[in-house]
Amino acid sequence: MKIKIYATSDTHGTITPYRYSDSKEMNMGLMKLSSLIHKDKHTLLIDNGDVLEGSPLDYVHHLKFEDRIHPMAKCFNAMNYDYMNLGNHEFNFGKENVWKYIHDMNAVCLTSNLFDKGVCFGKEYVIHEFDKNNRIALVGLTTQYIPNWEQPKNIVDMTFENVFDKLKQTIDKIKKKEDVKGILVVYHGGFEKDLESGVPTENLTGENLGYKMCSEIEGIDVMISGHQHRSIAQFCHNTCVTQTAFNAKELAYIEWDLDTNERVARLISADGEADESLYPLIEEEEKATQEYLDQPLGRLANGDLLIHDAFDARLHKHPLVSFLNSVQLDFTKADLSSVALFNDATGFNSTITMRDLVSTYVYPNTLCVVRMSGKTLKEYLEKCAEYFEIKDGKIGVAPRYLAPKPAHYNYDMVDGVEYTIQVSNPVGSRIISLTRHGIPVKDEDSFTMAMSNYRAACGGDFFMIKDCEPIMAYQEDMVECLRQYIEKHPVIEVNHQNNIKIIP
């Protein structure tokens, strides 16, 4: 028997094909993917997580419609999804929202390694029977690295089992107990090594363990991966693996002959017509989202703060960065503040609306303040300086911030000090000058630093922060902090600090 599998991953609340920043139609969204799916009794449709966060629709649902069925769940149900897995971003609005999402979904939750007060969010494994002679086992897992990013209040009483150990135990159990023709793993995590050479492509923290699982656990026939937003359809050792880009830009498609175990995978781009039948399901919340986004909040006294060249905005510290840091400093009263320009951040028009805010600060991060020594501050800035490299005599972005997925959000810019990065110096020795108010920073100096909860939890491998004393954690997300600040200061004059020099 030949079966077909369609899979989505990292859709991040993207349903319509229209970009929220400017309403431009794009090749993305569940409405476009829905037109590509052709189900029959030999077909499975699976989602691999990161659904409940990432778009203004997600944000407004959480803000105004949290007691209703999530728009993504409505669409998944209408599209007849069979199985679903949880992603790390599902927990950004608290585990109660996750339980409600699972309850509202017709699809079966596969997540087997996450527990709430000892209760698993999904099934240990599921046997799907196409007919009495053709059965496969499905196992779902989610990266165990969630506690390194997530706000503690969102994951109280939760435990996170190691995905490698859990999968190995589960596959051993399936082999002993079940008569199946294959095993399908749905993993909200990615690959820590190059799929062909096995060379590490990132620090081996345990965030992504796809390569280790495929290379060391026998019996994984197909793995649907995610989390890294890569476009993958190939083999890793003896496992057929897929991964799709974010925002529902692609659909993974696998044909699997259960008799011969021949497996073929490819990716299908969301470049067709949209399935308009889904729109009525989300119309009320979509219209509320558009109204919310068009709220004018204030204006800039001198022009706009739009990002026209993202790399230049990081190389020559855009005034938007100064503004974001000034808001964080105003909110926290810290000595220093750090912020990153996220991937595809748009910046602000001269009249600032909520659309500008959510298109620029795209994550539901909150603010934390930590106490940091001068020594740790320099280590922190050295880590930031790793973002750059010299290529053909010019300053560019280091490859590991571009692949396996773009990670521009891991380059921070700090206000409250003045510093110079010399990119040609070896990694770890690039900060050649560091002063505060013109006075050199000493190792024994002490500062309070405002930063996102993601960074305060050492997200992005900023492990030096674990030794910093936590001072304060705020509950308001950064978009709300920005909204409050702009409403208090309806006409804004940006005090741009040209405090970072980056030289070859």
Side-chain angles (χ1 to χ4, degrees), residues 21-121:
S21 59
D22 58 8
S23 299
K24 181 180 178 182
E25 184 172 358
M26 307 290 288
N27 290 330
M28 65 180 190
L30 276 188
M31 290 172 63
K32 288 212 169 186
L33 293 186
S34 179
S35 298
L36 302 171
I37 296 167
H38 308 287
K39 284 193 73 177
D40 59 26
K41 63 181 181 179
H42 298 148
T43 305
L44 295 181
L45 179 55
I46 301 170
D47 182 73
N48 190 27
D50 273 7
V51 169
L52 304 181
E53 179 280 333
S55 76
L57 181 65
D58 279 328
Y59 185 82
V60 171
H61 173 81
H62 172 68
L63 200 65
K64 299 184 177 184
F65 302 97
E66 204 169 54
D67 59 332
R68 302 189 190 181
I69 297 176
H70 195 285
M72 291 292 289
K74 289 181 181 179
C75 291
F76 283 156
N77 288 341
M79 294 166 68
N80 295 313
Y81 272 73
D82 299 292
Y83 299 100
M84 44 90 64
N85 194 22
L86 299 176
N88 54 293
H89 280 291
E90 257 63 89
F91 296 91
N92 288 168
F93 297 123
K95 65 181 181 181
E96 292 77 14
N97 282 286
V98 179
W99 280 118
K100 184 178 186 307
Y101 169 60
I102 293 171
H103 178 266
D104 291 338
M105 283 283 286
N106 295 336
V108 175
C109 182
L110 298 172
T111 309
S112 65
N113 67 312
L114 305 187
F115 296 81
D116 179 16
K117 296 180 181 178
V119 178
C120 190
F121 282 90

Side-chain angles (χ1 to χ4, degrees), residues 21 35 52 62 76 131 133 191-193 231 318 378 482:
S21 59
S35 298
L52 304 181
H62 172 68
F76 283 156
D131 60 37
N133 296 316
F191 298 95
E192 73 283 21
K193 296 182 179 181
S231 296
H318 194 281
K378 187 170 183 181
L482 288 165

Side-chain angles (χ1 to χ4, degrees), residues 82-83 108-111 122-129 135-140 170 174 178 180 182 184:
D82 299 292
Y83 299 100
V108 175
C109 182
L110 298 172
T111 309
K123 307 285 187 182
E124 182 180 18
Y125 65 88
V126 172
I127 302 299
H128 187 95
E129 186 173 294
R135 306 161 79 237
I136 65 169
L138 295 93
V139 184
T170 303
I174 291 169
E178 307 290 351
V180 294
L184 167 62

Side-chain angles (χ1 to χ4, degrees), residues 153-164:
K153 68 184 179 70
N154 289 338
I155 53 175
V156 172
D157 296 324
M158 282 186 59
T159 52
F160 304 81
E161 292 189 351
N162 179 281
V163 294
F164 180 86

